[in-house]
PDB file of all heavy atoms in Angstrom:
ATOM      1  N   ALA C 179      -1.577 -25.996 -22.962  1.00  0.00           N
ATOM      2  CA  ALA C 179      -0.920 -24.895 -23.671  1.00  0.00           C
ATOM      3  C   ALA C 179      -1.627 -23.565 -23.410  1.00  0.00           C
ATOM      4  O   ALA C 179      -1.098 -22.521 -23.849  1.00  0.00           O
ATOM      5  CB  ALA C 179      -0.902 -25.176 -25.177  1.00  0.00           C
ATOM      6  N   LEU C 180      -2.765 -23.559 -22.738  1.00  0.00           N
ATOM      7  CA  LEU C 180      -3.566 -22.327 -22.590  1.00  0.00           C
ATOM      8  C   LEU C 180      -2.782 -21.201 -21.881  1.00  0.00           C
ATOM      9  O   LEU C 180      -2.920 -20.045 -22.307  1.00  0.00           O
ATOM     10  CB  LEU C 180      -4.834 -22.641 -21.834  1.00  0.00           C
ATOM     11  CG  LEU C 180      -5.899 -21.551 -21.821  1.00  0.00           C
ATOM     12  CD1 LEU C 180      -6.315 -21.189 -23.240  1.00  0.00           C
ATOM     13  CD2 LEU C 180      -7.123 -21.975 -20.996  1.00  0.00           C
ATOM     14  N   PRO C 181      -1.992 -21.487 -20.854  1.00  0.00           N
ATOM     15  CA  PRO C 181      -1.226 -20.362 -20.236  1.00  0.00           C
ATOM     16  C   PRO C 181      -0.287 -19.718 -21.232  1.00  0.00           C
ATOM     17  O   PRO C 181      -0.121 -18.494 -21.202  1.00  0.00           O
ATOM     18  CB  PRO C 181      -0.478 -21.052 -19.095  1.00  0.00           C
ATOM     19  CG  PRO C 181      -1.287 -22.235 -18.756  1.00  0.00           C
ATOM     20  CD  PRO C 181      -1.842 -22.729 -20.050  1.00  0.00           C
ATOM     21  N   TYR C 182       0.373 -20.478 -22.063  1.00  0.00           N
ATOM     22  CA  TYR C 182       1.248 -19.890 -23.090  1.00  0.00           C
ATOM     23  C   TYR C 182       0.460 -19.072 -24.082  1.00  0.00           C
ATOM     24  O   TYR C 182       0.879 -17.975 -24.478  1.00  0.00           O
ATOM     25  CB  TYR C 182       2.030 -21.010 -23.823  1.00  0.00           C
ATOM     26  CG  TYR C 182       3.024 -21.755 -22.983  1.00  0.00           C
ATOM     27  CD1 TYR C 182       2.653 -22.817 -22.157  1.00  0.00           C
ATOM     28  CD2 TYR C 182       4.366 -21.410 -23.024  1.00  0.00           C
ATOM     29  CE1 TYR C 182       3.570 -23.485 -21.397  1.00  0.00           C
ATOM     30  CE2 TYR C 182       5.318 -22.083 -22.271  1.00  0.00           C
ATOM     31  CZ  TYR C 182       4.888 -23.145 -21.443  1.00  0.00           C
ATOM     32  OH  TYR C 182       5.807 -23.801 -20.702  1.00  0.00           O
ATOM     33  N   ILE C 183      -0.683 -19.604 -24.516  1.00  0.00           N
ATOM     34  CA  ILE C 183      -1.494 -18.925 -25.531  1.00  0.00           C
ATOM     35  C   ILE C 183      -2.004 -17.586 -24.988  1.00  0.00           C
ATOM     36  O   ILE C 183      -1.935 -16.568 -25.669  1.00  0.00           O
ATOM     37  CB  ILE C 183      -2.653 -19.833 -25.987  1.00  0.00           C
ATOM     38  CG1 ILE C 183      -2.111 -21.093 -26.664  1.00  0.00           C
ATOM     39  CG2 ILE C 183      -3.585 -19.072 -26.919  1.00  0.00           C
ATOM     40  CD1 ILE C 183      -3.165 -22.099 -27.011  1.00  0.00           C
ATOM     41  N   THR C 184      -2.541 -17.616 -23.752  1.00  0.00           N
ATOM     42  CA  THR C 184      -3.068 -16.399 -23.189  1.00  0.00           C
ATOM     43  C   THR C 184      -1.960 -15.371 -22.939  1.00  0.00           C
ATOM     44  O   THR C 184      -2.193 -14.158 -23.034  1.00  0.00           O
ATOM     45  CB  THR C 184      -3.816 -16.687 -21.856  1.00  0.00           C
ATOM     46  OG1 THR C 184      -2.933 -17.434 -20.998  1.00  0.00           O
ATOM     47  CG2 THR C 184      -5.063 -17.468 -22.144  1.00  0.00           C
ATOM     48  N   ALA C 185      -0.752 -15.830 -22.602  1.00  0.00           N
ATOM     49  CA  ALA C 185       0.374 -14.899 -22.442  1.00  0.00           C
ATOM     50  C   ALA C 185       0.690 -14.224 -23.766  1.00  0.00           C
ATOM     51  O   ALA C 185       0.964 -13.008 -23.799  1.00  0.00           O
ATOM     52  CB  ALA C 185       1.593 -15.647 -21.909  1.00  0.00           C
ATOM     53  N   GLY C 186       0.707 -14.986 -24.841  1.00  0.00           N
ATOM     54  CA  GLY C 186       0.951 -14.397 -26.156  1.00  0.00           C
ATOM     55  C   GLY C 186      -0.171 -13.442 -26.564  1.00  0.00           C
ATOM     56  O   GLY C 186       0.092 -12.366 -27.110  1.00  0.00           O
ATOM     57  N   MET C 187      -1.414 -13.788 -26.276  1.00  0.00           N
ATOM     58  CA  MET C 187      -2.538 -12.923 -26.605  1.00  0.00           C
ATOM     59  C   MET C 187      -2.520 -11.650 -25.768  1.00  0.00           C
ATOM     60  O   MET C 187      -2.921 -10.581 -26.242  1.00  0.00           O
ATOM     61  CB  MET C 187      -3.848 -13.672 -26.411  1.00  0.00           C
ATOM     62  CG  MET C 187      -4.040 -14.839 -27.370  1.00  0.00           C
ATOM     63  SD  MET C 187      -5.551 -15.771 -27.059  1.00  0.00           S
ATOM     64  CE  MET C 187      -6.795 -14.568 -27.439  1.00  0.00           C
ATOM     65  N   ARG C 188      -2.066 -11.764 -24.519  1.00  0.00           N
ATOM     66  CA  ARG C 188      -2.017 -10.565 -23.654  1.00  0.00           C
ATOM     67  C   ARG C 188      -1.018  -9.563 -24.232  1.00  0.00           C
ATOM     68  O   ARG C 188      -1.326  -8.357 -24.274  1.00  0.00           O
ATOM     69  CB  ARG C 188      -1.568 -10.985 -22.276  1.00  0.00           C
ATOM     70  CG  ARG C 188      -1.497  -9.824 -21.269  1.00  0.00           C
ATOM     71  CD  ARG C 188      -1.077 -10.310 -19.910  1.00  0.00           C
ATOM     72  NE  ARG C 188      -0.963  -9.192 -18.968  1.00  0.00           N
ATOM     73  CZ  ARG C 188      -0.567  -9.285 -17.711  1.00  0.00           C
ATOM     74  NH1 ARG C 188      -0.272 -10.511 -17.249  1.00  0.00           N
ATOM     75  NH2 ARG C 188      -0.486  -8.270 -16.918  1.00  0.00           N
ATOM     76  N   GLY C 189       0.146 -10.028 -24.670  1.00  0.00           N
ATOM     77  CA  GLY C 189       1.104  -9.132 -25.301  1.00  0.00           C
ATOM     78  C   GLY C 189       0.605  -8.577 -26.608  1.00  0.00           C
ATOM     79  O   GLY C 189       0.833  -7.402 -26.938  1.00  0.00           O
TER      80      GLY C 189
END
Side-chain angles (χ1 to χ4, degrees):
L180 192 59
Y182 292 84
I183 297 174
T184 53
M187 294 176 67
R188 180 181 179 183

